[in-house]
Every structure is written in C-alpha cells, then in structure tokens.
Amino acid sequence: MSITVAVDVRSVSKIFGAGTGQEVTALDDVSVSIAQNEFFTLLGPSGCGKTTLLRLIAGFEHATHGSILLEGAEISALPPFQRPVNTVFQNYALFPHMSVSQNIGFGLEMQGRTKDEVADTVGAMLSLVKMENLKDRQIDQISGGQQQRVALARALAPRPKVLLLDEPLSALDLKLRKEMQVELKRLQHETGITFIFVTHDQEEALTMSDRVAVMNEGRILQVGAPHEIYNRPNDRFVADFIGDTNFISAEIIERDGNEIRMRLPSGIEIMIPAPPDLPQSGEITLAIRPEQARIASDGDAASIQGSLTDEIYIGTDTQYYIDIGTTSPFVVRVQNANGETQRIPTGTSVGISVDAKTIQILRD
Amino acid sequence: MVTNSRPFSIKRMPGFSLLALACFFALYMPLAPLVFYSFNAGNNIALWEGLSLRWYVAAWENDLVQSAAIRSVVVAVIASVVATSLATMAALGTTRTRPYRGQTSIYAMVNQPLMVPEIVTAVALLILFALIKESTGYHGYAYLVSAHTAFCIPFAYLPIRARLEGMDRVLEAAAADLYATPWRTFTKVTLPLLLPGILAGAMLAFVISLDDVVITEFVKSAGQDTLPTYMLGQLRRTITPEINAISTVLLGVSVVMVAIIFFLSRKKT
Amino acid sequence: MSTEHISNNESFESLEVQAYQREVRRNLLLSTPALIVLFCAASGPLLIMLVFSFLTAGDYGGIKWQFSTEAWFQVAFYRDIFDETVSIANAHVSIFWRSIKLSFLTTLVAFVLGFPTAYFIATRPPETRSLWLFLVTIPFWTNLLIRTFAILEIIRNQGLVNTVLITLGVIDQPLDMLYTDIAILLGMTYVYIPLMILPIYASMERLDFRLVEAAYDLYATRWRVLARVILPLVKPGVVAGSILVFIPSLGAYVTPRILGGGKHLMIGNLIELQFGQGRNWPLGAALSLTLLVIVMGALMVYVRSAQKEGSGHGH
Ligand SMILES: Nc1ncnc2c1ncn2[C@@H]1O[C@H](COP(=O)(O)OP(=O)(O)O)[C@@H](O)[C@H]1O
Ligand SMILES: [Mg+2]
C-alpha cells in the first residue's frame, strides 16, 4: 500500500446510545482517505458528525462499525495517548492551572523527552506562533486569539503525524479569523503535517483547503478540491450549502452522444453535457449559480423567461429576483461595473440566459 | 399634589428588609451573652463580676475537657480524611460518565445519611454495635470512627461532585491526546483541578464530625466523651462559664473553617 | 475477503462495548469503598433495626431472640399489665402529635422569617451579597449544641430576654419560658432557619427580575407581584427549604432535651427512653422506623412536587 495515505477511514459508523431507545446515528458508513501533507477540511452544518469523526480519529470514541488506519496501520484499538495524532479542541481546552509554556511542553513531557529537549521544542514552538513574550502567563491572562495560538503550539509540539482541528477559528472575531486562516496555512506549510480541519463555514473551507469533504447527517456527500465542490456539486445539499444556487427541474427528452436534451418548465429545450450514467428519461434537477446566469439582452437567445420582482443592491453586485413560475424566484447576480447598476423596473418581463456548460445536473 | 418621597424600586418589598435585619439580629444576638460570659470572673453565667480568662484556663486544665477535645479532633481528622478519600473516589465514579445501571442507587446510598434522621441512625448503630461488642468484647474507638466516617461521606461528596460536574471532560481528553496515560492524566490534570473541591469537602466533613452530638452520644463506649457529648453532660448540672469558654472556642473554629470553605468554593480555578 | 471483513467488524463493535464496560467497571470499583463503609455504618444497621423491631424485649434491656409483633403493637396501643385490656397509647400518640405540630410550626415560622431574609440577600448588590450569605452560613456550621445552649441562656429566668423586659418595666416577674413547647419551637426555629434561607436564596438568585418588571408593567401591585410572580418561581426553593427544616425538626433530639427539660418530649427523646430507663429495645426500633417512614413520606411529597415542577415548566 502506498505510504502517501495519512488517514484511511473505512466504512465507519458511529451510533450513540445504542440499545437505549434514543439512538443517534452520528456517522453513517463514512469512508474517506486523507493524503499525507494535505490540508483536508470536513465541512458541514452543526450536528452533522464532524466532531465525532475527529474524536474517532483521535481515539476518544470507538466506532460502532468500520476501521481507521493511520499510515496503513490499524489504530482502532489504540488509546488516545498512544496515537501520534494531536487535536486542537473547539474551545482550546488549555490547562487552566498551567502557564503558556507548561501547556506547550505538556505533550513532550508525557512522551518522556529530556528537560533540554522539552525546553528547546517549547522555545521553537513559541517563536513559531509568535508568543515568546507571553510564555510565563497563566491561561486566563491571555486573549482568545493568543489562547488559539497556544493551543496550536501545544498540539504541534510533539510533531504529530496528523493534526486535528475542531472549528478552531469559530470563537474568534472576523478580523482575527482572517489572520488566523493565513497563519494556519503558513503553519501547515512550514511543518508539513497533515491537517484535518473542521468548519461549518463554507468560505473558510474553500479558501484554506487542498480538499474538502462536505458532510450532512452523518454522511460524506462529496469530496473534492474547492473548485470542484463549488463548480461541480453532485448533490442538491452540496450545491445549496456552498454558495447560492438556483434549482430548476427539467425533463429529460433524449440522449445525444455526450449531451442530453431536456425541457425546462418554460417549455424551452436545451442541450447540456451529461455523465453517461444518467437515466434516459424522467425528471431531473439542475443547479445554476446566480453569477453564471445573465439577464438576456434584446438580441440574446434566452433560456428562461420571467418577470422581475425585486432588485437588490449588495455592494459589489446587484441581485435580480425573477419570477419564473416556480416556488422560489430565480436569482441572477450581476457584478456592478464602475459602481453602476443596471436598473430595470420591476414587473418588466426579462429573459435569463445561461451557458449550458455551467449547468450542473444533480442526483438526488 | 402627590409627591413620591422615594423613587419606585422594582426590587423593594415593604417590610422585607426590616424582617431580614431582624432575622440577622436574632441569629447573632443569642451568641453575644454566650461569648460575653465566657470572660466572666464570677461563677455564674448571668451575673457579671468582671473580666477574666479564668474559665478558659479552667477548661484548659480540666483533664476531662482536654481528653475530650483531643478525642474530638483525632476522630474528626481520621473520619474526615477517610471520608474525603472515599467520597472523592465515589464522586469520580458517579459523575461525568455515561449512565449505567446502579448509578442512582449509588447516589441514593451515598446521600442516605442526609435523609435519615440522626436519631434513627444513632439508635440503629447502637443496636448493631451492641451486638458486635457482645460477641467480640471489643470496646475501642473503631465504632466511633466508622460511624463518623459514614455520616461524613455525603458532606465531603457534595462539594467534590459539584466541582467535578463543573469541570470540562475535554481537559482530560486533551491530556490523553498529549500522550498522558490515565494515571498521569489523573495526577496532572484531574486532581489539581479538583483540589479546591476536595479541600472544601474535607473541611465540611471535619466540622460535621467535630460538631456531632447525637450519633456520638449513642455510639460511644464509657470514657469516650467528645467535646460535644461532654458539654451535653455538663448541661444537666449547674452550668459554669466553663461551658461558655469551650463554646466560644468551638464557635471560633467554625467561623474560621467556614471562612476558608467560602473562600475556596468561590475561587475559580 | 468477506470473512476477514466480518471478523473485523465484530471486533470493532466489541471495542465500543468493551470501552463502556471498562468505564462501568471503573465506576463501580471507585464507588465500592464508600458503599462498604456506608453499608456497614449507615444502611446496614437500619436493616438490623428492622429485625430488632420484631423481637421480644429482654427483661433488663436488650432483647430475647423470639419473634414478636408486640413492639409494633405498642407503638400505637397500650396493653394493661393486669387485665390485658387494650387502649390507645395516649403518651405515644400525644408525643407524635406534639412532634408533628412543633415541626410544622417551626417550618412555618422559619418560612415567614426566612423568605424575606432570602429575598433581602438576593436583592443586595453582588459585592455585599456574599457577605450577607456568609452571615447565614456561619450559624449553619456552628455546633447545634452551642446554639441551643445560647437560646437556653437567653430565655432563662435570669437570662437576657427577661432581664431586658424587667428593666424596661414591661413585666415585673420573669416569664417562665424555659421547659415549654414555646422554648422548643424557638430553639428549633433558631437552629434550623439557615436551612430555610439557603435553598430559597438559591432559587431567588436565579430569578430573572425582568419578569418582575414585566409584571409591574402589566399593572400588578407589589403584593400581586409577590404572590403571582415571585413565589411561584421560587417555589422549588421554598419546598426544599421546608423539607430541610421539617425533617430534622421531626427527628430533633438535642433541642427538646435541653429546652424541653425532659417533660416536653419529642419523638427523638421517646426513642432514647427505650434505650435508657424504659428499656424496650424492640419498641425503640419500631418507633425509629415509624419516624423514618414519616420522614420518607415527607421526602416523597417533596420529590413529587419537584417532578411536577419539572414537567410543568419543561425543564
Ligand atoms: N456523546 C454523545 N452522545 C449522544 N449523542 C451524541 C454524542 N456526541 C454527539 N452526539 C450526536 O451526534 C451528532 C453529531 O454530533 P457532532 O459530531 O458533535 O456534530 P458536529 O461536530 O458536526 O456539530 C449530533 O446529533 C449529536 O447530538
Ligand atoms: Mg462540533
């Protein structure tokens, strides 16, 4: 087996409260492989099982089914203190009765390193997270952002094979969060350690990760690079959770080579590229990003017709809400060139034109 | 024209402050003559004959008082140390865990001495110990110590449990994550964080044991008077200010202990 | 391949179960030492007492190992030694009645004084609040004997109360307060009132005073705010405080012994008599168990009302 796989999660399920009648399936047959030196992100709404997956990898919980491998070796039976994996906890979990350097040195001390080694590594870690001048402070004497850095340094100090980060930035304010995003990327780059990062913030996931796994209700729905997840969502939940999306249903008419012809509710027929395993007929949902649709000029061939109900200015863009006869309006987002918006009176009948290549077919 | 002498206050209830202050007065007023007459030079606890420490000296030199005091402290130290250790273990075994069968029974049993009237426990122990004394002939201190240990356990248990419940499990998970074995997690993280609760529990247990009258009165063998049972016996006779002197010292001990417990339980970490 | 897969799955399933079993074993192991001590010196003796209540009284104290329900019969009935006629045991009934009456009155007085006190503490600014709380806590942890003794001293004929009243000319003869039911009531209220104040305060501290503001905003008067908003919200504290005062009052031994002077007995003293001069151990055991049953009944009422409170407010 190739050594480039850091963590291999194989068909893992976790059911809490088994046999109590109040069973919660936190993870449902999850499989994922995380490569070495990868910045891998678990993205999903609160309660979808992200923390549970991290806790399984760290060894705080045991899987109900399935196995977890670390660099090819089965670790399911190892207690947390024997796994070369460290965690940055959601609320940092710094020891309140120890100073900053004692916190950072704790793991090294427990590993039985010599005093000099501990001191050296703690010094290196303090400078890595730029906390040298606060090394003797107690934990309640430093700010949230600083606690965040100490938690990172503490988890990195023993040089784990994998670092698990459970929503480490969620408690910080926006400005600090942006700074720490850059900082985290830098640390991952400098240390070369595999990062498994958990967040419910899609923007954070897209900007930081090499690959993202989108989770919902205990399942991984899609794994891929940020641009794949954004541009090629293969699931309605993924498309909805990441960015804004218009959903419209269409009826398949016929396949024509690599393309498929389908009819939109408006009656207009379009051809779009489609994967070979798509059914030959029936209803299907299409996803169209608001910024990939345009208000058709007079000469354009419009795919969809509707009437403008609202126009909302949001700074860089303007959003047009167009009633196309479905329950929710179709949204078109247009960038404001030179701060100018294209003013259209509400009630006007408009056409929407979409490049067929940007339409995504969803399986649900 | 209507004038409001006082602005309307949401929290004010007419007469409540007066009743409350009367209550505080009533709580402390009876203690004043008690302390006051302990410094009386005369033989009486009602007739003031001048300031003197003679009753403190008398109590100090009274062999019965001395041995009862030593006995009280020794029993209280042993009972509170043992009870606190057992209570700490029981608290660790009943908090912050997934529910298990028997957990509520353990909880009920630990707190049983708080629910059963003291006189009932006292009589039950009297019966049991009479049986044991009859069959073994042993009349030593084990009876007193074991009885005290038992009723001290819930008093030590409650503050420790409260502290544990306020303590985040995640800190121990963090220690395990950083390669600490369960034992080192306990000594390096759990125990230091739990210490204020353990100290508060130990002191409560100590005060409770030191103050106990009823169970001691029924359980003690001949010549095993503690300070409270000695005083109870004295109250049947002509009362001299010696009792006031002993009471004042015990009162002082309580105040100091409560002050320390108060401080400990309010300290954050 | 498939067999390996299945055996893998099985071993992980049991890993989770094993971890749970380990945790339970650890918990039981940790609790056992305390349970042993408590069984030997708290719960176990109650069982032996139950056995004793069904034995025959010895002629000179102690017991004879002979089954008998006589002790339980004697709790409520009196059998004449000569003609074997049976009548209600008036002495016992009146002592039980006095105990219940005095405990109830103690609880009532403690509530009337304790509620405003708890309210007072809860409405102090945070800096002084803990000081007032501290002032309630000190008597709570002071030896019960000392506090009873303090009451004895001030209500004696030459005590502070009589001296002050005579000096003020309110009375010219000292009031005979000692060795009366009033003395016992006074003493028990004094001794147990912190047990009323502390739980009410604990409830009151969590009271959201914005609700009080809302009530005033909706035209409630002060007394209506008290009766319709504050009291219902702190009811759990009031019930807890009442139970905490009622139960030890009912089993009181020291206070009635010192302040009742051997004439005004309560259940605790009646029980003691059976192990002293009266020398009827089975009867003493039966009386103790009767007291225990009454106390458990009161606790049950408490648990019920706590549960109702819980479901009613959806906690
Ligand atoms: N110890 C537990 N006992 C019971 N249910 C749990 C436990 N931990 C988590 N859960 C449940 O498992 C689900 C997933 O939780 P979690 O992994 O914490 O989600 P996330 O981190 O994505 O917000 C939730 O429904 C949660 O309530
Ligand atoms: Mg989480």
Side-chain angles (χ1 to χ4, degrees):
Chain A
M1 176 178 260
S2 162
I3 195 78
T4 55
V5 174
V7 177
D8 203 0
V9 176
R10 294 186 179 171
S11 313
V12 163
S13 297
K14 176 68 189 176
I15 300 165
F16 284 110
T20 60
Q22 301 172 338
E23 291 163 11
V24 180
T25 305
L27 292 176
D28 186 4
D29 196 23
V30 167
S31 294
V32 63
S33 283
I34 296 154
Q36 270 182 359
N37 203 3
E38 189 173 27
F39 198 117
F40 190 88
T41 296
L42 297 170
L43 172 66
S46 161
C48 72
K50 308 178 298 287
T51 298
T52 305
L53 185 53
L54 281 201
R55 288 173 62 81
L56 282 167
I57 297 172
F60 303 131
E61 305 276 359
H62 295 283
T64 313
H65 301 287
S67 52
I68 296 173
L69 282 70
L70 183 70
E71 296 191 346
E74 168 72 72
I75 55 165
S76 300
L78 291 182
F81 55 91
Q82 288 173 359
R83 298 188 187 196
V85 171
N86 289 145
T87 308
V88 177
F89 291 87
Q90 199 155 5
N91 294 308
Y92 317 142
L94 296 173
F95 303 122
H97 58 301
M98 297 180 194
S99 71
V100 166
S101 14
Q102 281 170 330
N103 262 284
I104 298 175
F106 187 86
L108 300 161
E109 217 181 293
M110 291 301 120
Q111 283 182 324
R113 309 283 183 85
T114 64
K115 272 212 159 63
D116 289 344
E117 248 183 305
V118 174
D120 287 351
T121 315
V122 169
M125 283 300 140
L126 283 166
S127 74
L128 187 68
V129 297
K130 308 190 182 91
M131 290 279 296
E132 295 102 321
N133 49 349
L134 299 174
K135 64 181 162 59
D136 293 322
R137 290 275 185 95
Q138 287 300 120
I139 296 308
D140 56 7
Q141 295 168 333
I142 59 177
S143 72
Q146 290 164 340
Q147 290 185 5
Q148 166 69 77
R149 288 162 186 274
V150 176
L152 264 170
R154 184 179 74 171
L156 285 170
R159 284 211 63 82
K161 292 190 171 142
V162 177
L163 187 73
L164 309 174
L165 303 103
D166 192 358
E167 310 210 12
L169 308 182
S170 63
L172 305 180
D173 60 44
L174 185 65
K175 189 161 168 291
L176 206 52
R177 192 154 72 225
K178 296 279 179 217
E179 269 175 41
M180 283 307 293
Q181 286 176 1
V182 177
E183 186 83 7
L184 271 178
K185 274 304 269 187
R186 175 182 70 89
L187 284 174
Q188 200 255 337
H189 197 73
E190 281 178 23
T191 57
I193 291 174
T194 309
F195 276 32
I196 304 181
F197 181 87
V198 160
T199 182
H200 61 256
D201 180 342
Q202 43 123 349
E203 195 188 318
E204 194 168 278
L206 295 180
T207 51
M208 297 178 71
S209 324
D210 295 327
R211 281 196 307 154
V212 178
V214 183
M215 292 182 70
N216 189 36
E217 293 180 346
R219 292 164 189 270
I220 291 187
L221 301 175
Q222 189 173 1
V223 182
H227 65 90
E228 282 170 11
I229 297 280
Y230 187 82
N231 292 323
R232 291 276 165 242
N234 61 14
D235 181 281
R236 185 179 181 123
F237 178 85
V238 177
D240 202 18
F241 190 71
I242 296 169
D244 299 325
T245 307
N246 296 298
F247 295 105
I248 45 179
S249 56
E251 194 187 339
I252 301 174
I253 300 167
E254 60 177 359
R255 176 174 282 279
D256 181 1
N258 278 340
E259 300 204 323
I260 201 157
R261 179 194 298 279
M262 49 185 71
R263 189 184 295 125
L264 301 180
S266 55
I268 293 168
E269 288 179 11
I270 54 170
M271 296 276 288
I272 59 174
D277 57 338
L278 210 65
Q280 295 292 320
S281 63
E283 285 274 310
I284 201 168
T285 304
L286 304 178
I288 303 164
R289 298 281 182 201
E291 68 274 19
Q292 281 160 345
R294 277 170 291 116
I295 303 280
S297 321
D298 295 337
D300 279 356
S303 309
I304 309 164
Q305 288 289 334
S307 79
L308 188 80
T309 57
D310 260 315
E311 179 195 306
I312 293 176
Y313 175 74
I314 53 168
T316 54
D317 303 300
T318 301
Q319 287 196 159
Y320 299 93
Y321 290 78
I322 299 156
D323 180 5
I324 56 166
T326 51
T327 41
S328 47
F330 193 99
V331 183
V332 176
R333 189 183 301 151
V334 178
Q335 200 167 21
N336 297 325
N338 308 323
E340 300 220 349
T341 67
Q342 180 188 358
R343 298 214 58 102
I344 306 171
T346 54
T348 313
S349 171
V350 290
I352 303 163
S353 68
V354 185
D355 181 350
K357 285 197 289 291
T358 65
I359 296 178
Q360 185 63 21
I361 299 171
L362 302 179
R363 275 172 267 242
D364 46 7
Chain B
M1 205 179 118
V2 184
T3 50
N4 251 343
S5 56
R6 226 192 297 203
F8 186 87
S9 157
I10 292 292
K11 294 187 172 178
R12 214 178 71 83
M13 283 288 162
F16 271 33
S17 300
L18 206 65
L19 271 173
L21 292 174
C23 186
F24 280 109
F25 177 72
L27 275 177
Y28 283 89
M29 184 270 288
L31 296 176
L34 183 96
V35 174
F36 185 68
Y37 280 104
S38 72
F39 297 105
N40 193 2
N43 292 332
N44 200 294
I45 56 167
L47 199 65
W48 181 251
E49 290 177 29
L51 193 71
S52 144
L53 286 177
R54 68 175 270 216
W55 293 107
Y56 286 89
V57 176
W60 178 254
E61 285 173 351
N62 183 337
D63 284 343
L64 287 174
V65 174
Q66 246 184 39
S67 60
I70 292 170
R71 205 172 285 125
S72 278
V73 171
V74 170
V75 170
V77 166
I78 298 175
S80 57
V81 167
V82 177
T84 307
S85 318
L86 300 186
T88 306
M89 287 162 63
L92 286 166
T94 49
T95 42
R96 306 186 307 161
T97 145
R98 280 176 282 182
Y100 58 92
R101 265 187 59 185
Q103 192 178 3
T104 42
S105 317
I106 295 176
Y107 189 66
M109 201 160 156
V110 166
N111 287 299
Q112 187 225 297
L114 298 179
M115 293 183 280
V116 175
E118 252 197 306
I119 184 77
V120 176
T121 310
V123 166
L125 285 168
L126 172 73
I127 293 174
L128 173 70
F129 291 164
L131 284 179
I132 301 176
K133 281 175 190 174
E134 203 179 325
S135 59
T136 65
Y138 173 73
H139 282 74
Y141 284 102
Y143 303 113
L144 212 51
V145 171
S146 60
H148 276 237
T149 305
F151 69 70
C152 282
I153 287 176
F155 289 95
Y157 175 82
L158 290 176
I160 298 173
R161 180 191 158 100
R163 176 112 195 148
L164 263 175
E165 276 180 341
M167 225 166 90
D168 205 339
R169 258 253 121 122
V170 78
L171 290 175
E172 281 133 304
D177 191 58
L178 294 162
Y179 313 104
T181 57
W183 176 247
R184 297 190 92 184
T185 300
F186 179 71
T187 55
K188 290 253 169 192
V189 176
T190 317
L191 205 56
L193 292 173
L194 195 53
L195 207 58
I198 294 178
L199 285 178
M203 276 194 250
L204 288 191
F206 183 80
V207 173
I208 289 291
S209 166
L210 202 65
D211 283 354
D212 180 70
V213 192
V214 182
I215 290 177
T216 311
E217 177 76 4
F218 281 76
V219 164
K220 72 180 164 68
S221 303
Q224 292 186 348
D225 263 321
T226 61
L227 218 41
T229 61
Y230 170 79
M231 288 166 67
L232 185 66
Q234 291 300 303
L235 287 181
R236 291 211 182 108
R237 303 151 203 234
T238 330
I239 304 168
T240 64
E242 188 189 72
I243 296 289
N244 296 50
I246 300 171
S247 298
T248 304
V249 171
L250 283 180
L251 195 65
V253 171
S254 293
V255 172
V256 171
M257 295 288 257
V258 176
I260 297 173
I261 292 166
F262 220 72
F263 177 73
L264 278 180
S265 59
R266 283 156 50 84
K267 230 178 86 172
K268 286 274 157 54
T269 49
Chain C
M1 173 233 143
S2 66
T3 45
E4 188 195 303
H5 194 96
I6 286 168
S7 72
N8 256 355
N9 260 353
E10 271 177 356
S11 72
F12 295 132
E13 202 164 18
S14 63
L15 260 183
E16 192 188 23
V17 176
Q18 272 171 21
Y20 178 67
Q21 284 167 347
R22 235 189 346 264
E23 192 180 326
V24 172
R25 236 190 338 268
R26 186 201 68 134
N27 289 336
L28 293 177
L29 219 61
L30 282 169
S31 308
T32 304
L35 294 186
I36 291 175
V37 171
L38 284 161
F39 182 77
C40 291
S43 336
L46 292 180
L47 297 177
I48 293 181
M49 191 161 73
L50 181 65
V51 173
F52 262 57
S53 72
F54 286 105
L55 295 178
T56 308
D59 296 330
Y60 306 100
I63 41 95
K64 285 197 281 235
W65 290 92
Q66 220 166 51
F67 177 80
S68 159
T69 53
E70 183 67 17
W72 285 100
F73 181 79
Q74 285 175 357
V75 169
F77 300 104
Y78 176 77
R79 200 195 302 270
D80 198 286
I81 316 170
F82 302 108
D83 57 10
E84 297 270 309
T85 52
V86 170
S87 55
I88 300 280
N90 285 325
H92 292 182
V93 171
S94 74
I95 288 172
F96 269 90
W97 174 237
R98 168 185 297 119
S99 298
I100 292 173
K101 188 180 68 185
L102 282 177
S103 304
F104 185 75
L105 285 173
T106 301
T107 311
L108 193 70
V109 177
F111 170 72
V112 169
L113 273 174
F115 185 85
T117 307
Y119 186 86
F120 175 81
I121 301 174
T123 52
R124 289 311 93 189
E127 317 87 63
T128 50
R129 198 183 301 167
S130 54
L131 181 73
W132 290 107
L133 202 59
F134 184 60
L135 286 179
V136 179
T137 319
I138 287 181
F140 179 53
W141 289 113
T142 301
N143 197 327
L144 180 133
L145 190 63
I146 294 176
R147 286 184 290 151
T148 309
F149 175 51
I151 292 289
L152 171 83
E153 280 199 22
I154 66 161
I155 63 172
R156 286 172 333 129
N157 283 0
Q158 305 93 335
L160 188 68
V161 172
N162 274 319
T163 313
V164 167
L165 288 180
I166 291 175
T167 315
L168 290 177
V170 181
I171 49 173
D172 23 74
Q173 285 296 309
L175 288 173
D176 268 328
M177 283 178 289
L178 200 52
Y179 308 140
T180 62
D181 280 356
I182 297 291
I184 299 178
L185 176 62
L186 194 70
M188 292 205 303
T189 308
Y190 178 65
V191 164
Y192 295 127
I193 198 169
L195 291 170
M196 178 68 83
I197 299 174
L198 294 174
I200 297 183
Y201 166 75
S203 287
M204 205 87 85
E205 195 193 18
R206 270 174 279 147
L207 182 74
D208 184 352
F209 271 93
R210 283 174 306 182
L211 298 174
V212 175
E213 284 173 14
Y216 280 126
D217 189 52
L218 296 166
Y219 315 109
T221 59
R222 285 201 196 272
W223 286 109
R224 287 192 154 207
V225 166
L226 190 64
R228 299 282 295 278
V229 179
I230 297 176
L231 255 175
L233 285 173
V234 299
K235 196 178 140 212
V238 173
V239 176
S242 303
I243 286 290
L244 284 177
V245 172
F246 185 78
I247 288 179
S249 300
L250 201 60
Y253 163 76
V254 172
T255 309
R257 173 169 156 177
I258 294 175
L259 298 175
K263 277 181 285 180
H264 296 257
L265 299 184
M266 284 180 62
I267 303 176
N269 313 98
L270 180 64
I271 292 171
E272 191 216 0
L273 276 185
Q274 311 313 318
F275 294 87
Q277 303 141 357
R279 293 190 174 250
N280 187 340
W281 285 30
L283 176 58
L287 286 169
S288 299
L289 289 168
T290 309
L291 172 60
L292 189 59
V293 168
I294 299 176
V295 165
M296 288 301 146
L299 276 175
M300 215 77 99
V301 171
Y302 168 61
V303 171
R304 280 276 164 72
S305 83
Q307 272 168 356
K308 225 189 306 165
E309 206 67 28
S311 60
H313 290 285
H315 288 307

